[in-house]
């Protein structure tokens, strides 16, 4: 098929997003004309993909509703789910239906189609939040970088869980379908590492609700699928052409470092991820804007090859000095090609840019080598070199914005040599593997764990103050000591923790050294405990809060993924689940009581006999700090005992447990 006609189809799809439509609820998300054409193409390619996408949409909306998402957010996640697999339009059947594990090259091949899908959605000016969710659910950001470098949004984490669950419960070429319980167990095993634990929990709650019956409504499914089928032969021809479009754009992705399209009116229509990396402009900044050579070139070509191509309808090959993101000039080979319609009229121009010194082959093998270079071979955690690089990046980020601290946690397994000596090194290796996995499962999505050496691990906690890092370390310590490790009931593994927060005047080395020294203190003071170290300045500023009656006041901060209007409802559900009660509700403050006092107001040993009063202050997060795809609130909690605890330590342990349960219920960052 004529490649020019394929690119003209992309142009038509872009123009369809500008067509007028009757008012509907999707106006701020996607043009109904674009949505219908894309769904018809998926139906034509493989109706099973459309059924899968529809079910993923139902699951994602169900999860979102359990997390307190509102109507607009639910529509965003539904459209993202419907379109998350449009990259499959171009994937050949022998890869799409392979009855086995994909090779690195096959994996990278499919990833290329996912990038094309994102670029097509950008070309159609789909809502940026939808594009972010689709891109991040496939492990990339819209600029082509990996989500390993920047945590994915909550919307992308919801879509990833919904997609995985639907795949697990469907028949695949290489295995039968899992039942609900087995699928949930599989997701829970990967929670914290591959999937968000809180999102998996929300999925489980929704599946056990009456609303989950929509998944088994075959009549509604058949009606929905039939409604999206190509209406006539012309629609089938257009759908078939879209499949070829994705294959052609994938070829361009494979061969060229960057490409972009400019229409007859000199408006930028397409701007691929390679162009984002090369020039530093996002598609949102340029698509729909007027083309000018200065966008990409440090020198002016006269006449501009784009003008010449539009006027004379001839391709032009040339070399240009193009600006990179640092403003430096580099010489590249550029092809400027006319995009014509059936009658030969020029509708647009495509520029393809190639660096002859770079090879784009063997990306899959490169991915495999990159994993080997950054991961510990035994545990799968970051190795020491990669860990130190991540710690350096965190410190550099803090230097730019000292208002956002980070913390470092050192973890060392207690008496590990005795395990090797008594049970063998094979069991010792199994212990390291299981502990690394447990740590990864228990952590939140933004934290990073690496093996520092031997039985020692380091956890980097971005945007985390010291108090929160200590709470998380205590939770990890309890989880390790109570877990069955290496499949042996005759083995109890414990760990010691050292915590430090970056402070003013710190260097990269001083933060990690302070955490390491805190670990040394923990091991010297009896092991199986958490210690922390601070500078004298920080200790002095905290001294007042540690004296007198403040010893029985626990303060914490929770960033909750919930809209302000939904917070009382979420807290009401929390209160009902743990048999607590709401004492007062104000516009900016809610007070709860967790646990009931005994007759003589003495604290017992069980949680329900250790009552506390929790005052929750509600603070809005500025719009520029909000994450795309959700709304967040900053909650400050002030916990005090009801009655008399036996000691400040007992009280603070209880307060920590209450805050952790509240954090988990509100799906906190």
């Amino acid at each position: 098929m004529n490649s020019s006609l394929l690119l003209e189809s992309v142009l038509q799809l872009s123009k369809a997003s500008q067509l007028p439509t009757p008012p509907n609820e999707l106006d701020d998300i996607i043009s109904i004309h674009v949505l219908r054409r894309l769904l018809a193409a998926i139906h034509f390619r493989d109706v099973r993909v459309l059924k899968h996408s529809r079910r993923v949409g139902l699951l994602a909306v169900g999860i979102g509703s359990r997390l307190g998402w509102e109507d607009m957010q639910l529509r965003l996640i539904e459209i993202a789910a419907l379109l998350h697999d449009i990259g499959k339009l171009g994937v050949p059947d022998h890869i799409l239906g392979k009855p086995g594990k994909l090779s690195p090259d096959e994996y990278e091949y499919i990833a290329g189609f996912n990038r094309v899908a994102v670029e097509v959605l950008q070309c159609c000016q789909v809502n940026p939040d939808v594009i972010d969710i689709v891109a991040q659910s496939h492990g990339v950001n819209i600029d082509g970088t990996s989500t390993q470098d920047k945590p994915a949004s909550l919307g992308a984490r919801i879509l990833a869980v919904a997609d995985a669950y639907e795949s697990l419960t469907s028949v695949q070429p290489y295995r039968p379908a899992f039942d609900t319980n087995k699928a949930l167990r599989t997701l829970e095993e990967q929670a914290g590492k591959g999937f968000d634990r809180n999102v998996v929990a929300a999925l489980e709650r929704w599946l056990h609700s009456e609303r989950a019956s929509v998944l088994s409504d075959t009549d509604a499914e058949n009606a929905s699928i039939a409604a999206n089928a190509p209406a006539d032969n012309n629609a089938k021809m257009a759908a078939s052409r879209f499949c070829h479009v994705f294959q052609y754009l994938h070829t361009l992705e494979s061969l060229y470092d960057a490409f972009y399209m400019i229409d007859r009116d000199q408006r930028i229509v397409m701007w691929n991820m390679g162009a984002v990396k090369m020039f530093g402009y996002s598609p949102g900044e340029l698509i729909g804007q007027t083309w000018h050579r200065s966008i990409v070139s440090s020198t002016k070509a006269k006449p501009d090859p784009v003008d010449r191509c539009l006027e004379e309808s001839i391709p032009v090959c040339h070399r240009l000095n193009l600006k990179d993101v640092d403003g430096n000039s580099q010489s590249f080979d550029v092809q400027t090609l006319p995009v014509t319609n059936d009658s030969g009229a020029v509708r647009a121009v495509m520029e393809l840019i190639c660096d002859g010194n770079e090879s784009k082959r063997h990306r899959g093998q490169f991915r495999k080598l990159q994993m080997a270079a950054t991961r510990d071979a035994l545990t799968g955690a970051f190795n020491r070199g990669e860990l130190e690089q991540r710690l350096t990046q965190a410190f550099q980020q803090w230097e730019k914005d000292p208002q956002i601290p980070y913390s470092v946690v050192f973890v060392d397994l207690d008496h590990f040599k005795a395990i090797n000596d008594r049970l063998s090194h094979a069991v010792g290796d199994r212990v390291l593997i299981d502990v690394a996995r447990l740590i990864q499962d228990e952590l939140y999505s933004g934290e990073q764990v690496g093996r520092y050496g031997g039985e020692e691990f380091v956890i980097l906690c971005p945007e985390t103050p010291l108090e929160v890092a200590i709470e998380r370390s205590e939770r990890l310590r309890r989880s390790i000591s109570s877990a069955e490790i290496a499949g042996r009931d005759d083995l109890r593994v414990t760990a010691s923790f050292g915590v430090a927060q970056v402070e003013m005047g710190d260097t990269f080395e001083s933060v990690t050294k302070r955490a390491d020294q805190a670990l040394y203190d923990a091991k010297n003071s009896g092991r199986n405990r958490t210690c922390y170290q601070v500078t004298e300045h920080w200790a002095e500023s905290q001294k007042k809060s540690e004296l007198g009656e403040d010893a029985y006041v626990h303060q914490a901060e929770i960033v909750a993924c919930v809209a302000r209007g939904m917070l009382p409802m979420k807290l009401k559900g929390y209160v009902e689940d743990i048999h607590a009660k709401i004492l007062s509700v104000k516009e900016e403050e809610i007070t709860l009581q967790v646990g009931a006092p005994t007759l003589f107001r003495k604290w017992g040993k069980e949680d329900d006999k250790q009552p506390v009063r929790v005052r929750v202050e509600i603070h809005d997060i500025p719009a520029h700090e909000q994450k795309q795809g959700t709304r967040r609130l900053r909650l400050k909690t002030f916990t005090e005992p009801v009655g008399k605890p036996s000691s400040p330590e007992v009280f603070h342990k209880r307060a920590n447990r209450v805050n952790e349960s509240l954090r988990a219920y509100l799906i906190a960052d």
Side-chain angles (χ1 to χ4, degrees):
M1 186 174 288
N2 188 310
S3 60
S4 188
L5 294 182
L6 294 178
L7 293 174
E8 209 259 336
S9 295
V10 177
L11 185 63
Q12 288 178 354
L13 190 63
S14 172
K15 298 297 183 184
S17 66
Q18 311 298 323
L19 295 176
T21 60
N24 66 81
E25 60 184 12
L26 298 181
D27 283 342
D28 294 330
I29 302 176
I30 187 172
S31 163
I32 193 67
H33 299 297
V34 171
L35 182 61
R36 285 172 178 166
R37 294 187 189 190
L38 292 176
L39 294 181
I42 297 173
H43 188 291
F44 176 84
R45 173 64 181 88
D46 192 334
V47 71
R48 293 170 299 180
V49 175
L50 186 57
K51 288 182 178 180
H52 164 76
S53 298
R54 178 186 177 274
R55 289 173 63 83
V56 171
L58 294 174
L59 289 161
V61 169
I63 295 171
S65 66
R66 282 286 164 172
L67 300 181
W69 279 28
E70 299 175 341
D71 289 344
M72 180 61 176
Q73 293 172 305
L74 294 178
R75 286 196 291 272
L76 285 169
I77 194 70
E78 182 179 20
I79 296 301
L82 287 173
L83 299 177
H84 80 283
D85 266 348
I86 63 169
K88 290 181 178 178
L89 289 174
V91 181
D93 287 337
H94 73 275
I95 293 180
L96 200 58
K98 182 179 179 179
K101 185 178 180 180
L102 296 176
S103 70
D105 284 331
E106 289 168 335
Y107 182 88
E108 181 59 35
Y109 186 72
I110 292 179
F113 282 104
N114 293 330
R115 291 192 291 270
V116 168
V118 170
E119 291 159 4
V120 169
L121 294 178
Q122 290 167 336
C123 181
C124 299
Q125 300 188 49
V126 175
N127 186 291
D129 289 341
V130 169
I131 298 174
D132 278 341
I133 293 172
V134 171
Q136 292 176 0
S137 71
H138 292 300
V140 296
N141 295 301
I142 58 171
D143 59 0
T145 60
S146 171
T147 52
Q148 290 182 352
D149 301 324
K150 181 181 179 181
S153 67
L154 179 57
R157 302 200 301 270
I158 290 173
L159 181 52
V161 169
D163 188 18
Y165 176 82
E166 207 291 319
S167 296
L168 289 170
T169 53
S170 299
V171 176
Q172 301 295 339
Y174 49 90
R175 59 157 175 79
F178 289 4
D179 61 32
T180 295
N181 291 333
K182 186 175 181 180
L184 286 173
R185 282 200 309 273
T186 302
L187 293 176
E188 287 166 357
E189 288 171 359
Q190 294 294 319
K193 184 178 181 181
F195 302 107
D196 189 307
R197 179 181 298 279
N198 295 321
V199 174
V200 174
L203 169 63
E204 186 169 7
R205 293 200 300 270
W206 183 77
L207 289 172
H208 291 133
S209 70
E210 292 182 0
R211 294 188 177 182
S213 61
V214 297
L215 290 173
S216 56
D217 189 341
T218 55
D219 291 339
E221 179 181 67
N222 292 335
S224 174
I225 298 303
N228 289 300
D232 51 35
N233 285 335
N234 287 336
K236 290 180 180 178
M237 287 285 290
S240 174
R241 184 174 290 183
F242 276 132
C243 297
H244 291 287
V245 164
F246 274 73
Q247 291 172 343
Y248 180 68
L249 291 176
H250 185 275
T251 300
L252 296 184
E253 283 280 342
S254 303
L255 293 176
Y256 297 96
D257 294 277
F259 60 83
Y260 42 86
M261 187 189 298
I262 301 133
D263 69 12
R264 184 76 197 178
D265 298 324
Q266 299 252 1
R267 300 286 178 181
I268 298 173
V269 177
M270 175 176 276
W271 187 262
N272 87 319
M273 289 186 183
V276 175
K277 292 180 182 179
M278 185 172 287
F279 306 114
Y281 299 109
S282 69
E285 293 177 286
L286 293 183
I287 289 180
Q289 301 302 312
T290 301
W291 161 258
H292 193 276
R293 180 58 62 181
S294 62
I295 295 172
V296 299
S297 179
S298 57
T299 58
K300 294 182 179 180
K302 295 181 180 180
D304 189 324
V306 169
D307 295 332
R308 182 180 174 190
C309 200
L310 286 170
E311 293 171 5
E312 302 178 17
S313 186
I314 58 171
V316 180
C317 289
H318 51 107
R319 291 183 67 84
L320 285 179
N321 292 322
L322 305 180
K323 295 186 299 185
D324 62 18
V325 293
D326 299 319
N328 299 319
S329 294
Q330 186 174 351
S331 183
F332 288 87
D333 294 323
V334 183
Q335 294 184 55
T336 307
L337 306 175
V339 177
T340 58
N341 59 15
D342 289 324
S343 61
V346 180
R347 296 289 310 282
V349 166
M350 195 82 164
E351 286 213 323
L352 311 173
I353 302 174
C354 180
D355 179 2
N357 297 320
E358 296 265 343
S359 173
K360 303 190 77 171
R361 299 181 59 193
H362 304 304
R363 281 178 167 172
Q365 295 299 331
F366 174 77
R367 183 189 187 91
K368 201 171 182 180
L369 289 170
Q370 186 182 43
M371 289 292 290
T374 59
R375 301 283 175 166
D376 174 58
L378 178 64
T379 64
F382 288 128
N383 60 27
R384 182 162 179 168
E386 181 67 14
L387 178 64
E388 290 181 345
Q389 183 176 342
R390 302 272 173 151
L391 289 167
T392 302
Q393 291 171 351
F395 182 79
Q396 292 170 344
Q397 185 64 35
W398 173 79
E399 283 187 308
K400 294 178 182 177
D401 188 359
Q403 299 301 315
I404 303 177
Y406 71 90
S407 294
V408 178
V409 180
F410 272 65
V411 187
D412 192 271
L413 301 187
D414 298 329
H415 304 296
F416 183 72
K417 183 177 184 300
I419 295 174
N420 280 333
D421 293 344
R422 181 169 68 90
L423 299 174
S424 79
H425 287 276
V427 174
D429 286 349
R430 187 70 249 177
V431 168
L432 291 172
I433 293 169
D434 286 359
V435 169
R437 179 175 178 179
L438 189 151
I439 293 174
Q440 290 168 328
D441 286 352
E442 290 289 331
L443 292 178
Y444 298 102
S445 56
E447 295 162 330
Q448 300 163 34
V449 58
R451 186 180 177 193
Y452 202 63
E455 66 273 22
E456 193 170 3
F457 296 88
V458 173
I459 305 167
L460 170 62
C461 306
E463 301 182 23
T464 305
L466 181 67
E467 299 88 343
V468 177
I470 292 172
E471 290 176 13
R472 294 182 186 177
S473 298
E474 276 294 283
R475 177 166 54 83
L476 275 173
R477 185 186 63 79
R478 292 192 296 269
S479 296
I480 292 172
S481 64
S482 62
E484 182 179 295
I485 303 293
R488 301 182 68 104
D489 54 12
D490 62 340
L491 176 62
R492 180 173 180 261
V493 177
T494 63
S496 301
F497 289 75
V499 188
Q501 172 193 308
V502 65
E503 303 170 26
M504 296 305 295
D506 262 328
T507 63
F508 160 70
E509 294 82 3
S510 65
V511 186
T512 52
K513 183 178 180 180
R514 201 160 55 246
D516 194 22
Q517 184 61 49
L519 174 63
Y520 182 80
D521 294 343
K523 296 185 79 67
N524 277 352
S525 58
R527 294 185 171 86
N528 191 22
R529 64 190 61 205
T530 299
C531 290
Y532 65 90
Q533 281 213 355
V534 297
T535 61
E536 291 183 7
H537 174 76
W538 197 92
E540 186 65 29
S541 68
Q542 297 297 309
K543 188 175 181 180
K544 183 178 178 181
S545 66
E546 296 173 359
L547 299 175
E549 61 181 17
D550 283 349
Y552 289 98
V553 177
H554 180 279
Q555 299 183 32
E557 185 174 287
I558 298 173
V559 177
C561 301
V562 60
R564 177 180 280 269
M566 292 295 297
L567 183 61
M569 187 180 302
K570 293 287 288 184
L571 288 177
K572 182 180 179 182
Y574 171 73
V575 165
E576 291 174 351
D577 281 356
I578 66 171
H579 307 293
K581 59 182 177 181
I582 296 179
L583 300 180
S584 67
V585 178
K586 302 177 183 178
E587 185 175 354
E588 304 293 337
E589 182 180 296
I590 298 175
T591 305
L592 319 171
Q593 181 171 310
V594 182
T598 60
L599 180 62
F600 298 104
R601 299 179 66 80
K602 292 184 178 179
W603 268 34
K605 294 184 178 180
E606 303 298 326
D607 279 355
D608 61 348
K609 300 303 182 184
Q610 296 181 339
V612 293
R613 184 179 294 110
V614 184
R615 179 166 58 87
V616 182
E617 290 185 357
I618 307 166
H619 301 270
D620 290 315
I621 294 179
H624 70 276
E625 294 182 19
Q626 292 282 6
K627 293 183 178 179
Q628 292 179 330
T630 187
R631 298 181 182 179
R632 302 187 301 163
L633 295 172
R634 180 172 285 112
L635 309 179
K636 295 183 177 179
T637 64
F638 301 84
T639 307
E640 300 180 44
V642 177
K644 181 63 176 176
S646 59
S647 69
E649 291 76 20
V650 170
F651 160 67
H652 281 280
K653 287 181 180 179
R654 169 63 169 150
N656 280 333
R657 291 195 294 273
V658 171
N659 272 276
E660 282 299 325
S661 65
L662 183 60
R663 181 187 301 276
Y665 202 90
L666 294 178
I667 317 299
D669 284 356

